[in-house]
Amino acid sequence: MTHWMFNCKEVSRKVSLSLDTSLPLHQRVMIRMHLLMCRYCNRLRKQLLILREAVRLEKIPEDTGGQPEGLSGAMRERIKKAVREALP
Amino acid sequence: MYLLHTLYFNIVRCPENFSIFATLKTGIAMSEKQSETTSPIDNPATWVDAYGDFLYRYALSRVKNTSIAEDLVQETFLAALKSRRNFQGRSTARTWLIAILKHKIVDYIRKKVREQTSDKVELRLDAAAGDSVDTGFNSRGGWKSPPAKWGGNPTELYEQKEFMEILYHCLGELPERQARAFMLREIDGLTTDEICKALGISATNSWVMLYRARMQLRQCLEANWLESEK
């Protein structure tokens, strides 16, 4: 890699940064060029996006594996009582 | 209709305030909010019936223990009650409650991990966690151990119970402030400015923390999940 191009370490930082703020055009171009040539950095970018998506996920598995599907009656009442008592 | 009106107002009447993202976000939040007429956020008495079972199943799918899942749901409702005034309608009530629950789950896992670890080992682990990001590259900035291929497409990954379980475990293993920064950004969707205010750090510092958190999470997942796949 020549000095005017980002190395993998720099690209990994910039890819993460691009998830939090917008980068200047020339940096975006340099990252894109690097990603075209480097499958590992490309892989990293995809994986960071998967992590983002996964923690934002609200879906729950359909298969509960035999576990109860909801709060037990007693627990429901206990929580309701706790919420009532905490209300101002 | 509301969305069109907001777009008109922002572009034509107040161009200086125009932000397509903010507009869409607000518009979506408003339309979702309007559809939630049966369980308004301002009526906590209805929360347990409206969201209790969903939150419980969510917690159970992450912690695998019924009594802990129940406790986490109760803690979530009580925390929501305290921070009710901060709910700005940027999301639906359910999304807001799940975000609080996710923080509770990670706090629980962290506590569990830390209980099994002495303070000295914990400090060493935190330091090593930071170093591992830098040592992942050679002196010329190339990969020492490149990212492995993760099988399947994202949707298939999320369907795998182990993937999500290990992801939460890895979140619980991150140094506390890094995990906090990561969750504020990714779960609560806070901007850099908001994260800086919440944690009392500079923008550059927050980006470094987020970078380290993401890289360590990725490494942790790869080490534990890919290993369990073999």
Side-chain angles (χ1 to χ4, degrees), chain A residues 60-74:
Chain A
I60 43 178
E62 282 173 20
D63 173 20
T64 58
Q67 299 272 30
E69 292 198 1
L71 291 164
S72 62

Side-chain angles (χ1 to χ4, degrees), chain A residues 12 16 20 47 52 55 59, chain B residues 102 148 159 186 211 214:
Chain A
S12 71
S16 171
D20 305 315
Q47 291 174 356
R52 162 168 282 184
V55 290
K59 206 168 166 260
Chain B
K102 286 174 181 175
E159 288 293 324
E186 303 296 16
Y211 169 65
R214 289 181 179 121

